[in-house]
Amino acid sequence: MSGRKSTQATVRICGASSLSKTSWVCAFAVPGDNKATAHKIKARDVDRLISILNSSKTKAEHQLSRPLRIVLCYEVGYDGFWLARLLMARGIRTVVFDPASFLMPRRGRRAKTDRLDAEGMTRTLRTWLSGDREVARDVLIPSVEQEDAKRIERERKYLVEERTSIVGRIKGLLALHGIWLNGKRIGKRLLERLDIMKTGDGRPLAPFLRRDIERMLRHYDFVSQQIEEVIAERKAALVDGLGRFPHAEKVQRLATLGAVGETTATVLVAEVYHRSFETRRHVASFVGLAPSPYNSGDTGRDRGIHKAGTKLARQTLVELAWFWLRYQPNSKLSLWWHERFGGMGMRGRKVGIVALARKLAIALWRFVEQGVVPEGATLKV
């Protein structure tokens, strides 16, 4: 009990910031005062923010005649984590909350202003610091290296999607004129074939249509080159020994499993397995593959996965589940899936593949952290 009182004696000034692109609204609540004092400053004016924090602290310490400590919180969003790192480097404890985790009243329409949001967050922070962690969930602030490591595969995914969009647009334009291209890629000789292409009614390509396609083909080549550069940069980062990619050894270990390629391993380590998890349930919950239970009265059922966490990791695990069935057919997980869902229709098989992805997330976590090979799985030679 005495330890709790001591903690509250030093952690008392609760501050919260509502951040937008043009302005920040900061509210501060001192001990014994239920009303928060709000200040509006220019966005990204950190010096002004710290000045207000220090003046609020000095004033409160003078009134209460005891040392106090400032705790500031804000919602993770457009500004990311740079502000939290900067404030912590200045000695200010900073808590970053998940905006989707706040408990909100359900009666009537709730007023919404930056000032009300900031004042409400100060009350939430007070409750959170007192030990009630259900009012909001804090977000783990990653290191610069951990956050930057996610860029490799996120950029590659964005570029691949952009290339796919270019292919779809070219095929769509040609299809409008009765010309059909097969395959998911655009052949290297398509530019040369534009001279001899004939529309469905026997005409050569119209001049504006042709120049449009030529520009898109140049864009296609440029994006393809960027994808190759990103892949080369990833390979170099995993072996350079400079620590540019944290936990590169986990990527190399994970890639030794059959069905797991270097791209998949990089995504999973950068998005998930760089963190520490206490139990398997925490792993499944973090990637959004845990079921959402519904129990009320005599009714009890699961409402499907809650889809929290990183979408890229969840998509990667589902894709990996299909590859696992193909390249690890004798593993216990594959046999379980065939026995449970193999005889169902397409809908049942898709539900089963999500369940397999959840089990894979846990099995791969154990393999990365403890070296436990999934039962029946094979390693690459």
Side-chain angles (χ1 to χ4, degrees), residues 116-128:
L116 290 176
D117 287 346
E119 292 175 352
M121 271 195 290
T122 60
R123 294 189 292 271
T124 299
L125 180 60
R126 273 181 169 176
T127 306
W128 188 85

Side-chain angles (χ1 to χ4, degrees), residues 273-303:
Y273 297 131
H274 68 281
R275 299 169 59 106
S276 298
F277 299 97
E278 295 181 4
T279 67
R280 59 186 178 87
R281 289 185 176 87
H282 291 154
V283 178
S285 178
F286 178 77
V287 296
L289 292 173
S292 302
Y294 179 88
N295 291 292
S296 180
D298 297 331
T299 303
R301 68 177 189 274
D302 285 337
R303 296 182 294 180

Side-chain angles (χ1 to χ4, degrees), residues 92-111:
I92 300 171
R93 183 183 175 187
T94 307
V95 180
V96 182
F97 284 131
D98 177 5
S101 68
F102 285 100
L103 293 179
M104 294 295 179
R106 296 183 296 171
R107 183 182 296 276
R109 183 173 294 175
R110 187 176 68 90

Side-chain angles (χ1 to χ4, degrees), residues 10 26 28 31 112 122 146 162 192 215 225 232 234 240 247 257 279 305 332 343 356 359 373 377:
T10 55
C26 309
F28 306 96
K112 169 91 169 70
T122 60
Q146 289 173 341
E162 185 175 1
E192 301 173 359
R215 282 188 287 269
Q225 181 181 356
R234 178 193 68 199
D240 62 7
H247 307 291
L257 272 175
T279 67
I305 60 175
K332 184 178 179 180
L356 178 60
K359 289 180 175 291
V373 179

Side-chain angles (χ1 to χ4, degrees), residues 33-325:
D33 189 356
N34 293 327
K35 185 177 181 181
T37 303
H39 303 267
K40 186 175 182 179
I41 63 176
K42 186 178 179 181
R44 294 172 294 282
D45 190 351
V46 181
D47 292 335
R48 174 62 176 159
L49 173 62
I50 294 178
S51 175
I52 294 174
L53 289 172
N54 291 332
S55 63
S56 299
K57 177 184 176 183
T58 302
K59 182 179 178 180
E61 288 179 337
H62 178 73
Q63 292 175 349
L64 300 174
S65 301
R66 57 175 173 172
L68 299 172
R69 184 183 177 191
I70 298 175
V71 182
L72 184 72
C73 73
Y74 68 90
E75 298 176 356
V76 63
Y78 185 81
D79 283 278
F81 298 102
W82 70 269
L83 179 59
R85 297 191 189 102
L86 179 58
L87 292 174
M88 290 190 294
R90 303 283 184 93
I92 300 171
R93 183 183 175 187
T94 307
V95 180
V96 182
F97 284 131
D98 177 5
S101 68
F102 285 100
L103 293 179
M104 294 295 179
R106 296 183 296 171
R107 183 182 296 276
R109 183 173 294 175
R110 187 176 68 90
K112 169 91 169 70
T113 68
D114 289 341
R115 178 181 290 269
L116 290 176
D117 287 346
E119 292 175 352
M121 271 195 290
T122 60
R123 294 189 292 271
T124 299
L125 180 60
R126 273 181 169 176
T127 306
W128 188 85
L129 290 172
S130 68
D132 186 358
R133 300 303 167 91
E134 294 300 319
V135 295
R137 293 189 180 91
D138 62 319
V139 178
L140 180 65
I141 301 173
S143 66
V144 175
E145 293 75 19
Q146 289 173 341
E147 188 174 18
D148 192 50
K150 298 177 182 180
R151 294 263 58 84
I152 296 179
E153 287 305 323
R154 290 184 180 184
E155 181 185 7
R156 188 195 66 83
K157 184 175 185 296
Y158 166 78
L159 292 172
V160 170
E161 290 176 349
E162 185 175 1
R163 184 175 64 182
T164 302
S165 176
I166 297 170
V167 173
R169 186 160 181 260
I170 291 175
K171 289 183 176 181
L173 286 176
L174 292 176
L176 284 174
H177 298 274
I179 303 173
W180 293 89
L181 297 180
N182 298 321
K184 297 181 179 180
R185 296 284 187 90
I186 295 294
K188 295 182 179 180
R189 296 185 178 181
L190 179 60
L191 185 61
E192 301 173 359
R193 291 170 52 199
L194 294 179
D195 292 328
I196 59 175
M197 274 188 178
K198 299 292 183 181
T199 62
D201 54 355
R203 294 178 294 102
L205 294 180
F208 293 131
L209 171 63
R210 172 168 177 162
R211 283 194 284 272
D212 188 2
I213 294 176
E214 288 175 346
R215 282 188 287 269
M216 283 191 289
L217 287 174
R218 291 198 296 270
H219 190 196
Y220 176 87
D221 291 338
F222 176 69
V223 173
S224 298
Q225 181 181 356
Q226 286 187 318
I227 293 174
E228 294 176 0
E229 291 175 0
V230 170
I231 293 175
E233 186 175 352
R234 178 193 68 199
K235 292 181 178 297
L238 292 176
V239 299
D240 62 7
L242 301 177
R244 290 190 297 162
F245 190 97
H247 307 291
E249 73 284 354
K250 291 186 178 181
V251 176
Q252 297 167 358
R253 189 182 314 151
L254 194 55
T256 61
L257 272 175
V260 182
E262 186 179 85
T263 298
T264 299
T266 305
V267 171
L268 294 179
V269 171
E271 299 287 344
V272 182
Y273 297 131
H274 68 281
R275 299 169 59 106
S276 298
F277 299 97
E278 295 181 4
T279 67
R280 59 186 178 87
R281 289 185 176 87
H282 291 154
V283 178
S285 178
F286 178 77
V287 296
L289 292 173
S292 302
Y294 179 88
N295 291 292
S296 180
D298 297 331
T299 303
R301 68 177 189 274
D302 285 337
R303 296 182 294 180
I305 60 175
H306 54 64
K307 294 186 179 180
T310 164
K311 182 179 179 180
L312 177 57
R314 189 164 57 254
Q315 290 176 338
T316 302
L317 284 166
V318 172
E319 292 174 359
L320 176 60
W322 290 111
F323 281 105
W324 190 268
L325 294 175

